[in-house]
Amino acid sequence: MFFNLFAVPVFIAVLLGLLVTAKSYTLGNTRGERYFGLSMASTSVYGFFYSLELSSANLELMTLFLKLQYLGAPFIIPFLLLFAIRYTNSDRPLSPLKIVSIFIIPLFVMAAVLTNSFHGLAYTSYATVSNGFFNVLITGKGPAYQLHVIYSLILTLIADIYIFMLLFTVHRYFFWRVFLVFTAITLTWLVYILHLLGIIPLGLDAVPFMFLITGLLFYVGLVKAQFFNVIPAAHRQVFQNLNQGLLVLDNDDRLISANNYAEMLLGLRELSALPDIRLLDQKLPGLAAFYQDVTESVPVNTDLFNSLTGQWIEISIQSFKTSRNQTAGKVITLRDITSRRNTEIEREQLLTLTQSQNERLQQFAHIASHNLRSHCTNISALISFLEEDETSLKDKEDFRYLKTAAYNLQDSIEHLSEVARLHTSSPLPLQAVSLRLTAERAIAGIIAIARSSDVRISHDIPANYHIWAIPAYLDSIFLNLLTNGIRYRSPGNDSFIHISCTEDNDWLIIHVKDNGLGIDLERNKRKLFGMFNTFHEHPESRGIGLFMSKAQIEAMGGKIDVESTPGQGSVFHLWLRKHNK
C-alpha cells in the first residue's frame, strides 16, 4: 500500500456520501430520502474500495479490492431510480415485488464478480499497467460486466427522464430545486458513458469522482436549497386533488390556473380557452362584483347561490403579491356547500315548526288547566253540598276517599297550572318535598282502582325523609308506577305494591316493588324507557308512562333503574337528591 494523491478525491467522496446518507435517513422516506441515502451509501462502499485499489501496487490486492467494490457498485443506480420515482410522486404502481425485481440483476452481478475465479463471467483477465503516476488495473470484460453496464445505463436514463419530465409540470417556485436533481443525475449518466468510451485520462474510473460532484450538488440541495423539505411534485398533486376549487387570476383578471374541482364546479372544461373574470361571472353570477371589491391580501368570504345549477357556493378571495410586495393577482377558493345550506334551511324550518308547536302546546296547557280547574272547583263544591245535606256521609269510608281524590285532583291541576305558566325554556324550580306525604297522597288518589283490582298498596317511608323535587313531576311519577303495578298485576296472585326508601350519602333511593307480570329485561332492557314501547298486552297500554317518568326524574337531577323477572314482578329504583332539614 502507498499514498496515492488521486485516491484523495475518491476518499472525500466516500466521507461526503456517508454524511449525506446519515442526513437523508433522519428525514424519513416520504419523498425518497432514504432511497437517495442508500444510493449514496452504495457509492461510498464502491469509492472506499476503489480508493484502496488506487493505493495498492500488488495485483492480487487490486483484484480483491475490485471485487469488493461490487458490494456497492451494482446498487447505486437502482436506488437512484427508486429515489427519482418517489421524488416525482410516480410510485403508485411500484409494488414490493417490482422493487425486488429491480435488484435481481444487481444481485446477480455482485455474485458473479465475487465468484469470478470459478467462471470468469465478470472479468476474463487481470493485469496492471503504469500510467506514469501509478499502476492501473486493466481487466478483460465478461458478459456479467456488460450486463451490469447496460442495465445501469438504462436505469440512469429512466431516472433522468422522470426528473426531466417534472421540469415541465412543476411550479416555477420549485424549478431550480428540480433542476439541481436533474443535473446531478445527468452528470452520473454522462460521466459513466465517458468512462466506458475510455475518454477519461490516466485509465482512472471517473465514476467515484463524478459522485463527488453529484454528492456536493445533492448536499447543497439538501442543506441549502432544502429540496427535500418542499415536494416539487406535491404542488401539482395537492393543487389538483384538493376537495375545494382553486382559481388563480393574474393582475389583468385573467385566469391562469384552475384545479380539477374548480373546472368541474364551474364547467370550465367545456371552454376552449381559459377565461377572464367576466366569463367566470357567467358561470357563477355575482362573482365578478364580489371579486372587484377585494383589494387586500386578507381573505374575504361570502356565499353565492348559483341560479344556473341550483348550488350554494362558498367563496373566499384574496390577493397575492410578489417578492417585491407588488400585487400579482388574486386567488379564489370555491366550495360546494349546497348540502350544508339545505341542512341549515331544514333546521330553521324545523325550529320554526317546533316553536309553533310549543306555543300551541302552551296554549293547550293553559286552556286545559283553566277548564279542569273550573270543573274541579265545581266537583269540590258539589261534594261540600252533599256533605252538608247528608251528614251521615262523613262517616262513610268511600265518601272520605272521594273527598281525598277530589282534593288530589285539585292539587294536580294547580301543579299543571303552575307548569303552564312557566316558559318552556325556563327550568322548573326544585322544592323540598315530603316523600311520605307524596306517597300517601298518591296511594289515596288511586285507592278505589286498587281495591277494585284486589291490589294491596303499602309503604314504610319515614316521616323525616324529604327530597329536592318538582311536586308535579313527583306526583306524576308515583301515579305512573302505581297504576302500572295495578295494570300489570299477575292474575291469581295475592297482588301487592310496596313503596320503601333507603339512604345513600346525598341520595334517597325510592323502591317501588310489585309481584306482577314482570318484564323480560334480557330482551327489553334497551327499550324499557323508550316512547311508545309496551311489553304486555293490555287495552290501556300506551308506552308513555315510563318514558315520561324517566324524563321527569332526570329533569330533577336523578335517575331510574329497574330489576324484574318475568312472572315474579318488578322493583323500580328511583335516585333523588336528599333534602337535609
Side-chain angles (χ1 to χ4, degrees):
M1 301 291 290
F2 65 96
F3 174 75
N4 187 341
L5 182 63
F6 291 91
V8 174
V10 179
F11 191 72
I12 293 174
V14 170
L15 295 178
L16 187 57
L18 293 176
L19 177 64
V20 176
T21 298
K23 180 67 176 178
S24 299
Y25 256 75
T26 62
L27 301 175
N29 200 39
T30 306
R31 297 169 291 278
E33 296 92 335
R34 289 184 178 174
Y35 288 141
F36 174 68
L38 288 170
S39 178
M40 293 306 296
S42 300
T43 303
S44 296
V45 173
Y46 172 33
F48 176 72
F49 288 112
Y50 181 59
S51 67
L52 294 179
E53 178 192 324
L54 291 177
S55 302
S56 301
N58 182 280
L59 179 60
E60 290 184 3
L61 275 179
M62 295 174 77
T63 302
L64 173 63
F65 292 138
L66 172 65
K67 291 181 178 181
L68 293 177
Q69 290 168 35
Y70 280 81
L71 294 174
F75 308 106
I76 299 172
I77 305 303
F79 281 124
L80 197 61
L81 173 63
L82 290 177
F83 159 70
I85 292 173
R86 177 64 67 87
Y87 184 64
T88 57
N89 206 29
S90 306
D91 59 342
R92 286 186 179 179
L94 202 58
S95 64
L97 183 61
K98 290 180 180 178
I99 293 176
V100 171
S101 66
I102 291 175
F103 287 91
I104 292 176
I105 291 178
L107 288 169
F108 168 75
V109 171
M110 181 185 70
V113 172
L114 294 177
T115 61
N116 188 70
S117 58
F118 297 103
H119 45 68
L121 289 175
Y123 294 102
T124 58
S125 61
Y126 304 97
T128 58
V129 175
S130 175
N131 62 9
F133 295 94
F134 54 89
N135 288 336
V136 178
L137 181 63
I138 304 298
T139 59
K141 309 300 190 290
Y145 177 84
Q146 303 297 339
L147 176 63
H148 168 57
V149 169
I150 294 171
Y151 191 67
S152 297
L153 286 174
I154 292 173
L155 295 192
T156 306
L157 181 60
I158 294 172
D160 220 18
I161 290 173
Y162 271 115
I163 303 298
F164 181 72
M165 295 302 295
L166 185 60
L167 287 171
F168 294 94
T169 57
V170 75
H171 190 274
R172 63 177 180 269
Y173 176 75
F174 308 110
F175 178 84
W176 289 109
R177 301 177 186 188
V178 180
F179 185 77
L180 191 66
V181 179
F182 172 72
T183 302
I185 295 178
T186 302
L187 278 175
T188 306
W189 194 64
L190 292 178
V191 175
Y192 193 37
I193 291 177
L194 292 176
H195 168 68
L196 294 174
L197 295 176
I199 298 177
I200 306 299
L202 300 178
L204 292 172
D205 184 351
V207 175
F209 293 97
M210 175 275 303
F211 267 104
L212 172 60
I213 300 173
T214 300
L216 285 171
L217 287 174
F218 271 108
Y219 188 73
V220 168
L222 185 65
V223 178
K224 301 298 182 183
Q226 300 285 308
F227 66 77
F228 278 143
N229 291 341
V230 182
I231 313 171
H235 175 268
R236 180 166 171 264
Q237 186 80 3
V238 172
F239 182 78
Q240 291 298 343
N241 294 331
L242 278 175
N243 62 346
Q244 61 183 13
L246 286 177
L247 303 170
V248 182
L249 292 90
D250 63 16
N251 225 10
D252 296 320
D253 300 334
R254 295 173 300 189
L255 182 65
I256 59 175
S257 184
N259 69 350
N260 294 333
Y261 188 98
E263 290 178 356
M264 177 272 297
L265 196 61
L266 299 181
L268 300 182
R269 294 172 184 172
E270 306 165 6
L271 303 177
S272 58
L274 289 177
D276 58 14
I277 188 61
R278 288 170 296 181
L279 188 52
L280 289 174
D281 188 71
Q282 295 177 17
K283 294 290 184 178
L284 181 57
L287 177 61
F290 180 60
Y291 177 89
Q292 300 300 339
D293 291 338
V294 177
T295 56
E296 300 296 329
S297 56
V298 178
V300 181
N301 306 306
T302 191
D303 294 345
L304 285 180
F305 179 72
N306 192 340
S307 57
L308 303 176
T309 62
Q311 294 172 295
W312 278 98
I313 308 298
E314 181 184 70
I315 302 173
S316 177
I317 303 179
Q318 68 181 104
S319 62
F320 61 92
K321 297 183 179 181
T322 65
S323 57
R324 297 181 179 179
N325 205 32
Q326 297 174 338
T327 301
K330 296 177 184 177
V331 176
I332 304 176
T333 304
L334 308 171
R335 189 189 298 273
D336 185 353
I337 59 168
T338 306
S339 177
R340 190 182 78 192
R341 286 300 296 259
N342 288 340
T343 301
E344 290 173 356
I345 292 171
E346 290 175 3
R347 189 184 300 117
E348 290 173 2
Q349 292 174 342
L350 181 60
L351 180 60
T352 302
L353 177 62
T354 303
Q355 289 174 338
S356 175
Q357 290 175 334
N358 284 341
E359 289 173 2
R360 289 198 296 270
L361 185 60
Q362 278 188 293
Q363 291 173 3
F364 169 78
H366 283 295
I367 294 170
S369 63
H370 177 270
N371 292 347
L372 287 174
R373 185 163 44 196
S374 298
H375 294 311
C376 185
T377 302
N378 190 35
I379 291 172
S380 298
L382 290 173
I383 291 174
S384 297
F385 295 156
L386 282 173
E387 191 174 16
E388 291 175 2
D389 294 341
E390 300 289 338
T391 55
S392 60
L393 290 176
K394 295 180 180 179
D395 301 325
K396 292 183 179 290
E397 186 178 17
D398 290 342
F399 185 76
R400 290 199 302 271
Y401 284 133
L402 178 62
K403 285 183 64 178
T404 302
Y407 172 78
N408 289 342
L409 176 61
Q410 187 171 8
D411 198 33
S412 296
I413 292 172
E414 288 299 324
H415 287 152
L416 178 61
S417 299
E418 190 175 322
V419 171
R421 282 194 297 269
L422 293 172
H423 192 274
T424 52
S425 63
S426 301
L428 294 171
L430 296 177
Q431 303 175 23
V433 179
S434 168
L435 200 53
R436 178 169 182 164
L437 291 178
T438 304
E440 289 176 345
R441 188 167 61 246
I443 293 171
I446 60 164
I447 193 65
I449 302 173
R451 280 186 176 180
S452 64
S453 302
D454 293 326
V455 177
R456 291 181 293 106
I457 304 179
S458 60
H459 79 85
D460 58 5
I461 301 175
N464 63 332
Y465 275 9
H466 290 75
I467 58 172
W468 287 106
I470 300 169
Y473 285 3
L474 195 58
D475 288 345
S476 173
I477 292 165
F478 272 116
L479 183 63
N480 275 323
L481 295 179
L482 292 176
T483 53
N484 277 353
I486 295 171
R487 185 177 301 146
Y488 303 116
R489 63 191 179 278
S490 182
N493 284 356
D494 183 12
S495 300
F496 70 85
I497 301 173
H498 182 68
I499 306 173
S500 59
C501 189
T502 57
E503 295 184 74
D504 183 11
N505 296 325
D506 294 331
W507 299 91
L508 287 180
I509 308 171
I510 306 164
H511 312 281
V512 182
K513 180 178 181 180
D514 66 61
N515 64 340
L517 296 176
I519 302 169
D520 188 348
L521 295 180
E522 201 169 309
R523 294 176 54 189
N524 301 310
K525 179 75 171 180
R526 291 186 177 179
K527 60 179 183 177
L528 182 62
F529 295 102
M531 185 179 288
F532 304 126
N533 290 326
T534 58
F535 312 103
H536 300 290
E537 295 294 332
H538 194 282
E540 297 180 16
S541 295
R542 297 293 182 269
I544 292 292
L546 290 180
F547 171 79
M548 288 180 56
S549 297
K550 182 175 185 293
Q552 290 165 337
I553 290 170
E554 289 176 349
M556 295 186 292
K559 61 180 180 178
I560 183 172
D561 199 2
V562 64
E563 297 177 52
S564 188
T565 304
Q568 297 183 26
S570 306
V571 184
F572 285 87
H573 307 286
L574 288 64
W575 279 262
L576 292 169
R577 289 284 180 185
K578 183 196 304 181
H579 176 264
N580 297 313
K581 301 193 81 175

